[in-house]
Amino acid sequence: MTVYQATASAPVNIACIKYWGKRDTKLILPTNSSLSVTLDQDHLRSTTTSRADPSFDKDRLWLNGVEEEIKDGGRLATCIKEMRALRKQLEEQDPSLPKIAAFPVHIASHNNFPTAAGLASSASGFAALVASLSALYQLPADASRLSLIARQGSGSACRSLFGGFVAWQMGERADGSDSYAVEVAPREHWPDIHALICVVNDEKKGTSSTSGMQRTVETSPLLQHRIKHVVPQRMAAISEAIRARDFDAFARITMADSNQFHAVALDTEPPIFYMNDVSRAIIALIVEYNRVAVANGGKLKAAYTYDAGPNAVIYAPKENIKEIVELIVKYFPQAEKFKDPFGLFGAAGVQPQVIPGFNEAVAKPYGVGAVKSLIHTRVGDGPRTLGAEDSLLGSDGLPKKA
Amino acid sequence: MTVYQATASAPVNIACIKYWGKRDTKLILPTNSSLSVTLDQDHLRSTTTSRADPSFDKDRLWLNGVEEEIKDGGRLATCIKEMRALRKQLEEQDPSLPKIAAFPVHIASHNNFPTAAGLASSASGFAALVASLSALYQLPADASRLSLIARQGSGSACRSLFGGFVAWQMGERADGSDSYAVEVAPREHWPDIHALICVVNDEKKGTSSTSGMQRTVETSPLLQHRIKHVVPQRMAAISEAIRARDFDAFARITMADSNQFHAVALDTEPPIFYMNDVSRAIIALIVEYNRVAVANGGKLKAAYTYDAGPNAVIYAPKENIKEIVELIVKYFPQAEKFKDPFGLFGAAGVQPQVIPGFNEAVAKPYGVGAVKSLIHTRVGDGPRTLGAEDSLLGSDGLPKKA
């Protein structure tokens, strides 16, 4: 008997132009376009196995081994339904195809990074779901077409269907058919973009992005100006910076847009804060690091960006990452040895230090744990279809034990 | 021999609609109108004595006993020059007046609150300077006329020329002649407005407001929208709320404008942060305190506002201050006993507690010192002319020893 099954992995993405606000909460249509860098799946990824089998009772899904309810009309159900509909079309066009669209599916998904890391897993998770179903159903659909469906699972998931530098075009149509992701440039265009994720200890649970962004839409007087007058020109300018591999321009726009996203969150009633004193201290360090570079006649060497939480993501050309790690560790000592996936440091490990001319008074040193961990990664590729050996489902159609 | 001398005191004011940005940095002309509550001089004040004497060599000024240089063309020199010019006009119109405009002046000024309290002393200080010179020179000028001069010392000082609720009309003219303060309502109109100042420990010196606001003017895309489209309607709405003694509306606008001021500071390159984690925790407490009030069918009971620093000023009707002190002290224990100028608490003192239905998890408790002190005050009157017994200058024309 044939087993209809596929496994795929998908990457995390971190936006440079932020998505904040929906014009349609059901279809997940944004109030502005956004742009992100896809991070390398070698380090951070969601992996999903989907199997269609006539012996299954119903659609079921497990996330990190724990079954999640697939609610009627919910985001998971919508994604599965839309993917199944694409398969159905294929089967109707080509009667020789097996009728697997009619079979219930079992889906197992796994993130290789802890939820406690505070990294949004919904983007990579929904992208991996859609990618695995696409492989299961052997759909010819291109990534932009699939991104329309991933978008309905989690808005930013649409950007994880591509590697490299990815724009989510907001679109204009009421049905959302023109609100999808496109590639601005593949990773190969600018592979030198690395990222250092600073996982910041968060003592208090912040406002969820889903509810927070709609409160901003409803109450912030500044958001409309951002949407209409700021984001369109930033989208054009950062796309141009990426095409020209102009890190200075890329960094300026990325930092300005992170700040503006948090500004409109603050302009919300009641105000929303995602950054804390540690986040602010990291900003002060990067601002000073760049100031020294510019004072020495150079250009910006790093860019911070913050999503809906206190973690910093620092984008920089690979050659600067060593200095940045040394800088961060000087102010935020680490309990664990720095995982050094690119071999920047020798046997001696990281030496906490600042570059010459750096004003050390811009931030105060913290104790161990304020920044819980550092993850060094880089721009990466889009979803990968994996082999049977990577299956997360056992022969019984249930998740394998971890 | 006649002694030409006068002493005046002037109050602190805390804005509800924030002043942030100059269209003329020399004349101190703002990019938007602002509105403040004048606080009671019984608790917080600057006191200034001015003496004109032909035996003095030159104009001299002492602040809290320490001589300050009066720089040519500087803000102090400008204020003294403008006041002297008004006196000169009088003397020319009425030749019987003594020609004291020609005499050098000695000026001694004192703040009754420590600089370490982090309260802006420039507003009360320049207002007291102008008020004392006005008394010395026996000028008939009204408070709005004087506010034009105080404005050139420190923008927000113009609002300290009035008691009660005060608007600084931005004006339109290039010479600044229509950029002055007016009374929206005197304290007697709404004496029930009290204020609790939470002095927050600040580990790091923030950006000065003078340089910070101009960076915002130069780099924030959101500021222009605030100036043109948000502030004008808020000025009208909060003036109406004050006239109607509508605390709910007053509180909503005050909190929204504090948030928006900090939002445009964050939208600045590089970003400016004045609030810290303690400031944010106080916001969370007031938001929750108001939430409970509204959930119980009531209206807002308190409004927070933050200037260019981490200190919270909480405005509330007097009847709510007891609950608010108990709430703040529960999360921010105080080293010193609460000074209770209005006799809210009996001999037992403050009992730290939250009101029924309050979700205590909205903030974490801090240790002693995170909020350094609490100051309870209320809406107050405008500058007062004091008697000779309050003089800060001795018979030798030098500051009395403290």
Side-chain angles (χ1 to χ4, degrees):
Chain A
M1 195 189 120
T2 315
V3 175
Y4 298 103
Q5 176 178 300
T7 299
S9 66
V12 167
N13 74 77
I14 300 289
C16 297
I17 305 293
K18 301 295 188 187
Y19 155 51
W20 195 251
K22 298 182 181 73
R23 65 179 199 275
D24 183 314
T25 54
K26 173 65 186 156
L27 290 172
I28 310 191
L29 302 178
T31 51
N32 59 260
S33 296
S34 55
L35 186 144
S36 57
V37 177
T38 296
L39 301 184
D40 196 333
Q41 283 164 88
D42 286 353
H43 309 124
L44 300 167
R45 65 180 169 276
S46 294
T47 305
T48 302
T49 299
S50 299
R51 184 186 302 178
D53 193 307
S55 75
F56 293 159
D57 289 336
K58 58 170 187 173
D59 295 341
R60 295 176 71 183
L61 182 142
W62 294 263
L63 177 56
N64 294 327
V66 178
E67 185 161 9
E68 302 263 313
E69 190 192 353
I70 302 175
K71 291 192 191 116
D72 279 351
R75 294 175 170 198
L76 281 170
T78 299
C79 286
I80 296 169
K81 189 183 88 180
E82 294 259 335
M83 293 300 290
R84 191 171 262 144
L86 290 179
R87 171 68 189 186
K88 201 127 194 285
Q89 281 177 18
L90 274 193
E91 292 173 5
E92 285 165 0
Q93 286 158 16
D94 180 353
S96 74
L97 291 176
K99 303 280 182 298
I100 64 173
F103 301 166
V105 291
H106 279 193
I107 299 164
S109 191
H110 173 78
N111 304 320
N112 79 331
F113 48 93
T115 308
L119 294 163
S121 56
S122 59
S124 54
F126 276 100
L129 171 69
V130 166
S132 78
L133 287 169
S134 178
L136 168 68
Y137 290 149
Q138 305 206 301
L139 302 180
D142 66 11
S144 285
R145 180 74 188 80
L146 293 177
S147 80
L148 283 166
I149 297 172
R151 188 203 76 218
Q152 296 174 65
S154 173
S156 57
C158 74
R159 297 188 310 242
S160 279
L161 268 302
F162 287 94
F165 303 83
V166 187
W168 173 11
Q169 298 177 335
M170 63 175 289
E172 295 177 353
R173 294 189 205 133
D175 68 356
S177 58
D178 58 350
S179 184
Y180 50 79
V182 297
E183 182 189 271
V184 174
R187 71 184 294 186
E188 295 74 21
H189 169 73
W190 202 6
D192 191 39
I193 293 296
H194 279 231
L196 184 71
I197 303 170
C198 307
V199 180
V200 171
N201 192 24
D202 199 8
E203 286 178 342
K204 126 178 195 308
K205 182 73 194 123
T207 309
S208 87
S209 59
T210 299
S211 67
M213 67 172 71
Q214 287 320 100
R215 255 180 37 223
T216 302
V217 170
E218 289 156 16
T219 65
S220 167
L222 299 180
L223 181 67
Q224 295 307 317
H225 184 76
R226 162 172 170 74
I227 290 167
K228 284 185 204 136
H229 301 291
V230 181
V231 171
Q233 66 192 54
R234 282 187 181 164
M235 284 295 293
I238 199 168
S239 298
E240 183 51 38
I242 291 165
R243 281 189 284 268
R245 297 186 199 89
D246 176 351
F247 185 76
D248 191 82
F250 173 86
R252 280 184 204 282
I253 299 165
T254 294
M255 291 188 284
D257 209 70
S258 175
N259 294 336
Q260 189 168 90
F261 152 48
H262 292 278
V264 297
L266 210 169
D267 191 47
T268 300
E269 183 183 333
I272 301 168
F273 297 91
Y274 289 118
M275 295 191 286
N276 62 22
D277 285 354
V278 169
S279 314
R280 293 167 49 193
I282 296 172
I283 287 180
L285 296 178
I286 297 301
V287 166
E288 175 64 8
Y289 178 64
N290 281 329
R291 186 198 65 74
V292 173
V294 171
N296 291 335
K299 300 205 161 193
L300 299 190
K301 293 170 78 173
Y304 58 77
T305 188
Y306 293 78
D307 279 349
N311 295 343
V313 175
I314 301 169
Y315 286 123
K318 183 184 179 187
E319 64 174 0
N320 301 335
I321 296 288
K322 184 166 181 284
E323 284 178 351
I324 296 167
V325 171
E326 290 165 345
L327 170 61
I328 297 294
V329 166
K330 181 166 174 72
Y331 285 83
F332 299 100
Q334 295 294 299
E336 292 187 23
K337 191 163 176 290
F338 179 64
K339 288 194 187 81
D340 189 11
F342 298 93
L344 301 181
F345 299 93
V350 178
Q351 304 303 314
Q353 60 184 328
V354 299
I355 59 172
F358 191 97
N359 173 11
E360 295 191 30
V362 297
K364 65 157 196 167
Y366 278 73
V368 171
V371 170
K372 285 190 291 185
S373 65
L374 297 173
I375 301 168
H376 179 188
T377 183
R378 63 178 166 189
V379 59
D381 56 348
R384 302 171 184 170
T385 303
L386 306 179
E389 69 280 9
D390 292 309
S391 172
L392 300 177
L393 290 169
S395 55
D396 58 357
L398 296 174
K400 292 178 181 171
K401 300 295 172 213
Chain B
M1 193 188 120
T2 314
V3 174
Y4 298 103
Q5 176 176 301
T7 298
S9 65
V12 168
N13 73 77
I14 301 289
C16 297
I17 305 294
K18 301 295 188 189
Y19 155 51
W20 195 250
K22 298 181 181 74
R23 65 178 200 276
D24 184 314
T25 54
K26 174 65 186 154
L27 291 172
I28 310 190
L29 302 178
T31 51
N32 59 260
S33 296
S34 55
L35 187 144
S36 57
V37 177
T38 296
L39 301 184
D40 195 333
Q41 283 164 89
D42 287 352
H43 309 124
L44 300 167
R45 64 181 169 274
S46 294
T47 304
T48 301
T49 299
S50 299
R51 184 185 303 178
D53 193 309
S55 74
F56 293 159
D57 289 336
K58 58 169 187 173
D59 295 341
R60 294 176 72 183
L61 182 141
W62 294 263
L63 178 56
N64 294 326
V66 179
E67 185 161 9
E68 301 264 313
E69 189 192 353
I70 301 176
K71 292 193 190 114
D72 278 351
R75 294 173 171 200
L76 281 170
T78 298
C79 286
I80 296 168
K81 189 183 88 180
E82 295 259 335
M83 293 301 291
R84 190 172 262 143
L86 290 180
R87 171 68 189 186
K88 201 128 196 283
Q89 280 177 19
L90 274 194
E91 293 173 4
E92 284 165 2
Q93 287 158 17
D94 180 353
S96 75
L97 291 176
K99 302 281 183 295
I100 64 174
F103 301 165
V105 291
H106 279 192
I107 299 165
S109 191
H110 172 77
N111 304 320
N112 80 331
F113 48 93
T115 307
L119 294 163
S121 57
S122 60
S124 54
F126 276 99
L129 170 69
V130 166
S132 78
L133 286 170
S134 177
L136 168 68
Y137 290 149
Q138 305 203 303
L139 301 180
D142 67 10
S144 285
R145 179 75 187 80
L146 294 177
S147 80
L148 282 167
I149 296 173
R151 189 202 74 219
Q152 297 174 65
S154 173
S156 57
C158 73
R159 297 188 309 243
S160 279
L161 267 301
F162 288 93
F165 304 83
V166 188
W168 174 10
Q169 298 177 336
M170 64 175 288
E172 294 177 353
R173 295 188 205 135
D175 68 355
S177 58
D178 57 350
S179 185
Y180 52 78
V182 297
E183 182 189 89
V184 174
R187 71 184 294 188
E188 295 75 19
H189 169 73
W190 202 7
D192 191 40
I193 293 296
H194 280 231
L196 183 72
I197 303 170
C198 307
V199 181
V200 172
N201 192 26
D202 199 8
E203 288 179 340
K204 128 178 194 307
K205 183 75 194 122
T207 308
S208 87
S209 58
T210 298
S211 68
M213 67 171 71
Q214 288 319 100
R215 261 189 22 231
T216 302
V217 170
E218 288 156 16
T219 65
S220 167
L222 299 179
L223 181 68
Q224 294 307 317
H225 184 77
R226 162 173 170 73
I227 290 168
K228 284 185 203 135
H229 300 292
V230 180
V231 171
Q233 67 191 55
R234 281 187 182 163
M235 285 295 292
I238 200 167
S239 298
E240 182 50 39
I242 291 164
R243 281 189 283 268
R245 296 185 199 91
D246 177 350
F247 184 77
D248 191 83
F250 173 86
R252 279 183 204 283
I253 299 165
T254 294
M255 292 189 283
D257 209 69
S258 175
N259 294 335
Q260 188 167 92
F261 152 48
H262 292 277
V264 298
L266 210 169
D267 191 48
T268 300
E269 182 182 334
I272 301 168
F273 297 91
Y274 289 119
M275 294 192 285
N276 62 22
D277 285 354
V278 169
S279 314
R280 293 167 50 194
I282 295 172
I283 287 180
L285 295 178
I286 298 301
V287 167
E288 175 65 7
Y289 178 64
N290 281 329
R291 186 198 64 75
V292 173
V294 172
N296 290 336
K299 300 204 161 194
L300 299 191
K301 293 170 79 174
Y304 57 79
T305 188
Y306 293 79
D307 279 348
N311 294 343
V313 174
I314 301 169
Y315 286 124
K318 182 184 180 188
E319 64 174 0
N320 301 334
I321 296 287
K322 184 165 182 283
E323 284 177 352
I324 296 167
V325 171
E326 290 166 345
L327 170 61
I328 297 294
V329 167
K330 181 167 173 73
Y331 286 84
F332 300 100
Q334 296 294 298
E336 293 186 22
K337 191 163 175 290
F338 178 65
K339 287 191 188 85
D340 189 11
F342 297 92
L344 302 181
F345 299 93
V350 179
Q351 304 304 313
Q353 60 184 327
V354 299
I355 59 173
F358 191 97
N359 173 11
E360 295 190 30
V362 297
K364 65 156 196 167
Y366 278 73
V368 171
V371 170
K372 285 190 291 186
S373 64
L374 297 174
I375 301 168
H376 179 188
T377 183
R378 63 177 166 190
V379 60
D381 56 348
R384 302 172 184 169
T385 302
L386 305 178
E389 69 280 10
D390 292 310
S391 172
L392 300 177
L393 289 169
S395 56
D396 58 356
L398 296 174
K400 292 179 181 170
K401 300 296 173 212

